[in-house]
Amino acid sequence: MTGRQPFSAIVGLGFSEFSRGDIGTPRDLAIDAVVSAVEDCGLGLADLDGLLICRSPSAPSSELPLRLRLDLGLGDLNLLGDFQIEGASVVGAIQQASLYLHHGLARTVACVFSDVPLRPGKASGAASYNRVMQLSGLDDWEVQYGLFGAAGPYALAAQRYLDRFGLQRSALGGYAVASRRWASLNPRAMLREPLDLEGYMHARSIVDPFCMLDCAYPVNGAIAVILTTVARAPDLPKPPVYVHAFAQGHAGRGSFRGNEPEIEAGGALAAAALWRMAGVGPSDVQSAQIYDAFSYVGLQALEDYGLCPRGQAPDFVHDGQTSPGGQLPVNTGGGHLSGFYLQGMTPVSEAVIQARGEGGARQVPRNELILVTGSGGRLDYHAALLVSPRATL
Amino acid sequence: MTPHSSYTPEFLRFVAAGSLCYARCSACGQVLSFAQRLCSQHPHAALEWLPASGKARLHSFAVYRIAYGPGQTPPYTVAVVELEEGPRLTSALTGPDRLHPRIGSALTARFEPSGRLVFSAVSDATMLNPPSHSD
């Protein structure tokens, strides 16, 4: 442990309403979330001097314009941006804000993510996320093969993993079951009814090896966090959540003989940098809040971060190690599968709740070092944080 | 130097002529992945396009069970195939075993009458590569 000062503190957390129905535009919901977050930390909108806006890569930037600052009536800003590294955006934005705060370039920064994937005529995840991902690198090549949505590209990754370690589709099911156990304890989670492995195996197939319970549960909503300097944080009403370390990792390998981008992804690069920066290791992590838009992404991250050995995440999770009462609570709000899919804000908001000790029935017993990850593309982009309620690790 | 914007059109021109090609660096001979637009060691060198053998191995596959978008009737199999020459490519898997393929199995390329490039297991292949593939 380094004893070094943290970079910043998360002091405010705000939610819009969540719904599968029409509750407003992304811009409406972003405004709700920022106002709620500012009120949560006992500040006013006039106290903000930074705003970083994050959106889904499938949503146009015009839906969440930089003019959001004017909507909110903000004053002169020292930091502003539309921060885009796909699913890693929110964690990346918190990193950017933390650097500004650490160097005295900003004083109080809001980071907001807002998304309205479910609209009239697009009432399902498949209808909302049917863009064709460019997997090979040849422009628009995948369209003729019907590689629609994110589920297909991630299913290709999961299938490669299952084959390499001699596993069946059921190996993914334990992850969905563990997510649901946590979600049942989270009033904000969208899917809370009990789920067992048998129920998982009977769920509708989407893209083998994925059934619908392997896929994120989309919701319309927004979440914002407020960050400020380490010096100012203790004066605010909510317990500060200190940002101690951060890193990114974007594996620079095209798909070519000899590499395994489906199994060894940027998370492993980020992990190495994160441990180096914080002077800690995987065994020091007490809880993990992982970007898990698909079951396999969660399992893969557990392995990339060395929280369990390569190839063993399905057993680790199936044995209950990540479930309520387990040694390493993971995605304690239900994550993307059973909680809600608001991309990077799902793990970030849950980390803040747990670090503050506001988890209620799902509060983890040990919250002093929480790993938070963000992941985008098809395991192409990755960013991570280490947060703690303690000012020194 | 090959402009970024001409890479995919170049590849597609070969496909339209019934040939599966890959690019390599004219300076060092390194074969590029299909995501690259230049050799990072020789960014000014021209790319050479060479015909692939059409032999490949199944790297991974995903079987679509629902219709996400137009033009495909489920179930259908999207495959990532590893060409004998090294680069991997997204394609369709056809043939009797297309819904239950084995990762690592030997595949061979062919062009459907529509001109679409697809792969099938070697034992399933009804049409071998046109000779132009190995010219």
Side-chain angles (χ1 to χ4, degrees):
Chain A
M1 309 253 172
T2 59
R4 193 187 50 216
Q5 283 279 300
F7 288 86
S8 67
I10 302 172
V11 292
L13 173 64
F15 297 86
S16 75
E17 187 187 342
F18 293 174
S19 176
R20 300 272 288 178
D22 179 14
I23 50 169
T25 66
R27 201 159 158 177
D28 295 329
L29 299 177
I31 291 168
D32 291 350
V34 173
V35 169
S36 164
V38 165
E39 290 172 346
D40 179 62
C41 60
L43 294 173
L45 288 164
D47 294 305
L48 295 180
D49 71 341
L51 176 66
L52 293 175
I53 301 165
C54 302
R55 61 187 161 82
S56 168
S58 52
S61 59
S62 58
E63 288 193 343
L64 278 176
L66 297 176
R67 290 178 57 87
L68 187 63
R69 71 192 179 106
L70 301 177
D71 297 347
L72 289 161
L74 303 186
D76 298 342
L77 300 183
N78 294 308
L79 175 62
L80 176 68
D82 172 353
F83 203 90
Q84 182 56 262
I85 14 175
E86 301 208 352
S89 297
V90 169
V91 170
I94 290 173
Q95 297 177 350
Q96 169 91 337
S98 295
L99 284 171
Y100 266 66
L101 294 163
H102 179 66
H103 290 289
L105 298 169
R107 188 170 151 84
T108 308
V109 179
C111 298
V112 62
F113 174 86
S114 182
D115 196 22
V116 179
L118 303 166
R119 305 187 187 198
K122 281 192 170 189
S124 71
S128 305
Y129 300 102
N130 66 355
R131 74 188 178 125
V132 176
M133 204 180 267
Q134 191 175 303
L135 199 60
S136 62
L138 292 158
D139 307 325
D140 300 326
W141 175 253
E142 276 75 12
V143 174
Q144 63 187 313
Y145 301 111
L147 188 68
F148 294 109
Y154 278 100
L156 287 164
Q159 188 64 59
R160 179 77 187 168
Y161 172 90
L162 293 175
D163 181 77
R164 171 148 155 197
F165 295 105
L167 301 169
Q168 302 298 313
R169 180 174 87 83
S170 58
L172 304 173
Y175 191 89
V177 169
S179 299
R180 188 62 63 85
R181 286 188 189 131
W182 283 114
S184 71
L185 305 173
N186 178 9
R188 211 175 250 117
M190 302 297 286
L191 298 176
R192 281 176 281 173
E193 56 280 15
L195 175 69
D196 59 16
L197 200 54
E198 195 186 340
Y200 168 87
M201 292 303 287
H202 285 99
R204 190 165 71 116
S205 290
I206 300 293
V207 185
D208 295 351
F210 289 157
C211 66
M212 58 189 299
L213 297 177
D214 290 295
C215 306
Y217 194 77
V219 64
N220 298 336
I223 302 179
V225 291
I226 309 296
L227 288 96
T228 193
T229 60
V230 171
R232 191 183 193 198
D235 299 334
L236 297 172
K238 289 295 178 73
V241 180
Y242 292 102
V243 177
H244 282 276
F246 44 82
Q248 297 185 10
H250 316 285
R253 299 174 294 227
S255 194
F256 201 90
R257 181 169 53 230
N259 65 34
E260 292 282 347
E262 297 87 355
I263 297 172
E264 291 144 16
L269 303 173
L274 201 63
W275 309 141
R276 209 159 49 234
M277 187 174 198
V280 300
S283 62
D284 297 308
V285 172
Q286 296 182 346
S287 176
Q289 307 298 338
I290 293 172
Y291 191 108
D292 64 345
F294 297 97
S295 55
Y296 174 62
V297 184
L299 293 166
Q300 193 275 342
L302 290 173
E303 298 182 7
D304 259 2
Y305 281 86
L307 298 171
C308 64
R310 191 68 76 186
Q312 293 179 27
D315 281 346
F316 185 72
V317 170
H318 187 259
D319 291 346
Q321 309 288 1
T322 63
S323 290
Q327 60 161 326
L328 180 71
V330 172
N331 288 14
T332 53
H336 287 146
L337 303 190
S338 288
F340 50 87
Y341 179 51
L342 287 176
Q343 304 197 9
M345 273 302 178
T346 301
V348 164
S349 60
E350 184 62 18
V352 171
I353 288 167
Q354 291 291 353
R356 286 175 167 184
E358 293 178 347
R362 69 184 195 280
Q363 179 61 44
V364 300
R366 302 186 307 142
N367 66 351
E368 293 185 354
L369 192 67
I370 302 175
L371 170 68
V372 185
T373 74
S375 174
R378 204 290 303 272
L379 300 171
D380 296 309
Y381 316 115
H382 193 95
L385 308 170
L386 284 175
V387 302
S388 173
R390 292 166 54 106
T392 53
L393 287 185
Chain B
M1 187 156 60
T2 308
H4 160 83
S5 55
S6 69
Y7 180 91
T8 297
E10 189 86 358
F11 175 81
L12 294 178
R13 261 196 299 280
F14 289 116
V15 167
S19 175
L20 168 59
C21 287
Y22 63 97
R24 75 175 184 194
C25 172
S26 62
C28 69
Q30 184 180 332
V31 177
L32 271 54
S33 82
F34 287 114
Q36 282 173 267
R37 297 297 178 263
L38 51 74
C39 167
S40 57
Q41 298 299 311
H42 305 95
H44 297 285
L47 301 184
E48 294 174 342
W49 288 91
L50 300 170
S53 70
K55 294 178 184 167
R57 299 236 167 231
L58 183 63
H59 182 70
S60 196
F61 67 96
V63 180
Y64 275 72
R65 298 287 176 183
I66 64 167
Y68 262 82
Q72 301 286 341
T73 307
Y76 63 93
T77 304
V78 180
V80 174
V81 305
E82 183 174 292
L83 304 186
E84 185 177 49
E85 295 81 7
R88 297 194 191 120
L89 190 61
T90 310
S91 190
L93 202 62
T94 63
D97 292 337
R98 68 194 174 92
L99 299 181
H100 304 283
R102 195 170 45 78
I103 286 179
S105 60
L107 306 175
T108 187
R110 71 185 169 88
F111 288 91
E112 292 180 326
S114 67
R116 189 175 78 143
L117 174 71
V118 300
F119 285 79
S120 48
V122 167
S123 55
D124 299 339
T126 52
M127 187 194 302
L128 296 175
N129 293 330
S132 63
H133 281 197
S134 50
D135 279 352

